[in-house]
Amino acid sequence: MLSEFEIIRRFFTHPTDPASGVVLGVGDDAALVKPTAGMELAISTDMLVADRHFFADTDPYKLGHKSLAVNLSDMAAMGAKPRWITLALALPEPLVEIKGKWLEAFASGLFGLARVHQIELIGGDIVRGPLTICIQIIGEVPKGKALRRSDAKLGDDIWVSGQLGNAALALAHERQHIFLEPEEVAECSSALHMPMAQVKLGQSLIGLARSAIDISDGLLADLGHILEYSKVAAVIKIKNINCSMAMKKRLPESRAMRCLLAGGDDYELCFTAPKGRRTRIDALSRELGILLTRIGKISEGDGLVVLDMAGKIITSLGVRGYDHFCP
Ligand code: ADP
Ligand code: MG
């Protein structure tokens, strides 16, 4: 059986890049990092528990990737550049006993995505226990410029990146609640297993967007947080929300609507911006090759009005946030 020390040395210790700002990495009682002048630190933690947030037999490579991606999405939502992570793991004995195969795949998924964003793993903890993955991420954002939930203003456009509902659709297929053709699985399953998080978009929205949030619990719940914190209301149109062909083909309208509004696990950004910035946002969309769609407007009062495909107000969807049985 591998000891804690061997696990850290074999799987989680890498030479650090001199440009990474790491003064002292894995090995001491604490890591030391040097923040960039003029920047504030953005710090966030996400915990994933087996059988609650993922199936215990999930491919460990994909799990390593996704554990980091969900944290990156929080940085994206603040407009922060992710820089450093710590990793706390609770591992059941069998996973350690299989000669580190699980750990090797997990680390390779995690570091694969970390390299894409030049993020350094600077510390962590390992304990024996039911499989749990807890990543803390530290990013940097220009002083006073972070994108908050609380800054949406009356008249702002509401924008969403990418397509919504694909992760929920892929999950429904895996649970055999619906059937997808192989090419449709290909279209949707990366949203569920290998999400990328809109890191570059988030940073580019500084100075353009007024408020932002990542859509991890579904559009209704997450846009709801912006409305609550900004003390405003909104009207959105379902027909403006972008979704996959698979969604259009495989789900009747009412179920597709629930999936788009409350599917969860989308890791796209929802942001608001003044009308005068439409041209610049459309240009950014082309420059980054990321779909950015205007789905509605910030209005007076409180609450969220959703208009269906025919433009009629939806009075009850029966869901708010993340719903495992969405479709
Ligand atoms: P301590 O007893 O001081 O808490 P540990 O033995 O838990 O130290 O860890 C030793 C070093 O290894 C520390 O620098 C810690 O941050 C690092 N470390 C522990 N677990 C991990 C991990 N999963 N990934 C990266 N570094 C880790
Ligand atoms: Mg420790």
Side-chain angles (χ1 to χ4, degrees):
M1 162 130 32
L2 292 165
S3 72
E4 182 188 344
F5 175 75
E6 280 171 324
I7 292 175
I8 296 167
R9 190 179 50 77
R10 267 182 58 185
F11 303 110
F12 299 113
T13 311
H14 289 271
T16 49
D17 180 340
S20 65
V22 177
V23 179
L24 186 63
V26 169
D28 215 312
D29 293 310
L32 300 171
V33 294
K34 188 172 163 39
T36 311
M39 302 293 253
E40 281 168 350
L41 297 180
I43 303 172
S44 153
T45 306
D46 254 307
M47 187 139 86
L48 298 176
V49 178
D51 296 326
R52 176 167 281 263
H53 302 101
F54 60 91
F55 303 119
D57 62 356
T58 298
D59 173 349
Y61 179 87
K62 291 176 178 167
L63 190 58
H65 174 104
K66 188 167 176 177
S67 312
L68 179 54
V70 301
N71 282 276
L72 291 178
S73 187
D74 288 321
M75 292 290 109
M78 298 302 287
K81 177 178 165 55
R83 301 216 56 196
W84 310 291
I85 53 169
T86 64
L87 170 68
L89 283 175
L91 298 172
E93 255 163 63
L95 284 188
V96 182
E97 272 169 3
I98 42 177
K99 298 230 170 42
K101 273 266 175 290
W102 189 94
L103 280 163
E104 194 177 332
F106 175 82
S108 120
L110 181 95
F111 283 115
L113 185 57
R115 268 192 299 275
V116 171
H117 297 282
Q118 295 150 316
I119 296 165
E120 297 280 354
L121 176 65
I122 56 170
D125 202 12
I126 297 176
V127 297
R128 213 39 55 93
L131 181 59
T132 305
I133 302 152
C134 182
I135 293 183
Q136 181 181 52
I137 190 158
I138 305 163
E140 293 185 321
V141 60
K143 210 167 171 184
K145 296 282 198 306
L147 304 171
R148 303 173 185 219
R149 299 176 177 193
S150 52
D151 292 342
K153 297 274 186 304
L154 191 64
D156 275 5
D157 291 321
I158 300 169
W159 296 78
V160 163
S161 68
Q163 294 182 331
L164 299 187
N166 286 346
L169 204 61
L171 185 64
H173 170 77
E174 284 181 17
R175 292 184 163 174
Q176 299 180 338
H177 295 171
I178 59 165
F179 173 77
L180 298 180
E181 296 290 351
E183 66 274 15
E184 295 170 327
V185 174
E187 190 183 15
C188 298
S189 77
S190 65
L192 180 63
H193 295 296
M194 298 285 283
M196 285 310 290
Q198 294 289 9
V199 175
K200 194 144 185 203
L201 172 63
Q203 288 168 75
S204 308
L205 285 176
I206 292 223
L208 269 184
R210 254 206 283 244
S211 67
I213 194 162
D214 71 318
I215 307 173
S216 50
D217 294 330
L219 181 65
L220 278 194
D222 291 317
L223 176 57
H225 294 312
I226 290 189
L227 303 185
E228 185 189 335
Y229 281 77
S230 299
K231 301 191 174 63
V232 287
V235 183
I236 59 169
K237 294 180 181 164
I238 289 260
K239 74 168 165 34
N240 291 10
I241 302 174
N242 210 286
C243 68
S244 58
M245 283 310 293
M247 172 82 75
K248 286 182 190 149
K249 223 166 113 190
R250 294 292 163 189
L251 292 186
E253 194 180 313
S254 64
R255 287 161 93 194
M257 261 179 347
R258 289 180 64 187
C259 222
L260 289 179
L261 294 171
D265 250 5
D266 280 319
Y267 304 108
E268 294 294 342
L269 294 183
C270 172
F271 58 95
T272 78
K275 203 173 155 183
R277 296 190 186 150
R278 283 181 191 173
T279 320
R280 283 170 67 198
I281 293 171
D282 285 331
L284 179 66
S285 164
R286 284 190 299 275
E287 186 195 321
L288 299 180
I290 296 168
L291 208 59
L292 298 177
T293 332
R294 261 189 294 124
I295 63 158
K297 263 192 165 324
I298 296 293
S299 57
E300 247 169 312
D302 66 336
L304 177 60
V305 173
V306 183
L307 304 180
D308 69 12
M309 297 302 275
K312 282 219 216 66
I313 295 179
I314 300 175
T315 46
S316 169
L317 271 165
V319 287
R320 281 287 306 166
Y322 174 56
D323 176 355
H324 277 286
F325 301 98
C326 160

